[in-house]
Structure formats: structure tokens, C-alpha cells
Amino acid sequence: MNHVELLLIVLCGFVIAYFDSQWKEESRERESILISELDLQKRFLDDERKKYDDLERERKKEVEELELKIQVAKAEHQSEREKRLQIEEKYKEQREKWKVIWKESQDCENRVKEEVEKTVRATELQKLQTERELAFLKERYAKLQQDYAAISKDSAPSQG
């Protein structure tokens, strides 16, 4: 084997090492981007949850105010017994409304959790894929080093 062939083999090793480092850097950048996207999605979901909570509080206040106005208006025109029956009925309705609001809040929370879990799973899958690609390239690089070492051993006695 002549010097040109050896030089080409060494040059190939450097090119492989260069592309391996570039790939590692790109993998780190992709992982950083995915983490940033996850953070943005989490902040968005947190903001949406806060908006929902604010709307829920406003709705509760409006419901309470309306119920009180209705109770006052009707209580003025009804007997004490009718007043009590109406207040008990409103209390039951209010409880049902609270149950609905609570259920909606739980549904929203579950949707948020599902979205976060989907995003985490996607990130984990991307990480696994990146690790597999890295392992493949490492194996390939090791094989090329072995081939280079074998070629170097073969060529050493013929020149000496």
C-alpha cells in the first residue's frame, strides 16, 4: 500500500470524525429545541388554565349574584314556606352547577395532562431515536477504525 492510500484512509477518518461531531452538535441542538418547545407548551397550558380559572371564578360570582337577586325578588312575593322551598331548590341547583363546573375543570385538567404526556412521550421517542443514531454512528466509526488498523497492519510489512 502506498502513501497516497494511507493518506486517503487517514483523511477519511478525519472526515468521519468531523461529521460525527457535527451530528452530535445537531442532536444537542434538536434536543434543546424540543425542550424549549416543551417549556413553551407548558407555559401556554398554564396560561390557559389560569384563564379558565379566572372565567370560572367570574361565572361563580355571576351565578351567585343572579341567584340572590332571584331569591330576593321571589321571597318578597311568597310565604315563608315557599321561600324555604325555593331556597332549598336553588341550593340544589347551585350544587348541580358546582358539580358541572368541577367536572369541566377536571376535564380541562385531564386534557392538559394528556397534552403534556403526549409531548413528553414524543420527546422521549425523539431522544431514543437520537441515541440509536448515535450508537449506529459509533459502531460504524469503530468498524472504520478496525478496518484502518487492519489495513495499517497489512501495509506495514510490505513496506519494511
Side-chain angles (χ1 to χ4, degrees):
M1 181 173 279
N2 62 31
H3 295 290
V4 173
E5 290 173 345
L6 284 174
L7 219 73
L8 283 174
I9 292 171
V10 169
L11 182 60
C12 286
F14 284 121
V15 167
I16 290 170
Y18 170 76
F19 283 114
D20 185 49
S21 68
Q22 290 294 318
W23 181 82
K24 286 178 184 176
E25 181 62 30
E26 289 174 5
S27 293
R28 279 188 226 109
E29 289 174 5
R30 284 192 302 243
E31 187 174 334
S32 174
I33 289 169
L34 287 173
I35 289 170
S36 297
E37 288 175 1
L38 265 177
D39 288 343
L40 286 174
Q41 288 178 358
K42 184 182 181 303
R43 278 188 238 134
F44 172 76
L45 291 174
D46 288 344
D47 290 344
E48 290 298 313
R49 177 64 184 193
K50 287 176 185 175
K51 288 177 188 175
Y52 179 81
D53 289 344
D54 291 342
L55 289 173
E56 185 177 344
R57 274 187 237 104
E58 288 176 6
R59 184 191 305 167
K60 288 175 187 177
K61 288 178 184 177
E62 290 174 3
V63 167
E64 290 173 358
E65 290 174 4
L66 289 173
E67 284 182 354
L68 288 175
K69 287 178 183 178
I70 291 170
Q71 288 176 1
V72 168
K74 287 185 177 181
E76 292 172 355
H77 302 291
Q78 294 176 350
S79 69
E80 283 298 308
R81 182 168 185 244
E82 291 173 337
K83 288 179 191 177
R84 270 187 258 131
L85 290 175
Q86 185 180 15
I87 289 171
E88 288 175 4
E89 184 62 31
K90 291 296 179 183
Y91 175 72
K92 288 177 184 177
E93 290 176 10
Q94 180 66 27
R95 282 184 51 201
E96 290 302 315
K97 289 178 184 177
W98 286 111
K99 287 179 184 178
V100 168
I101 290 171
W102 182 81
K103 172 123 177 55
E104 290 174 356
S105 131
Q106 291 298 312
D107 291 345
C108 180
E109 185 175 331
N110 290 338
R111 285 192 303 272
V112 167
K113 285 179 183 177
E114 288 174 7
E115 285 299 320
V116 168
E117 289 173 3
K118 285 179 187 176
T119 306
V120 166
R121 277 188 248 126
T123 303
E124 289 173 351
L125 287 174
Q126 182 65 36
K127 181 180 176 185
L128 286 173
Q129 182 180 1
T130 302
E131 289 173 354
R132 287 181 189 140
E133 291 172 2
L134 178 61
F136 171 75
L137 287 175
K138 283 181 180 178
E139 289 175 9
R140 196 166 136 205
Y141 182 70
K143 174 86 170 91
L144 287 173
Q145 283 181 327
Q146 288 174 354
D147 291 347
Y148 176 73
I151 291 170
S152 295
K153 285 182 183 178
D154 291 344
S155 65
S158 65
Q159 289 180 0

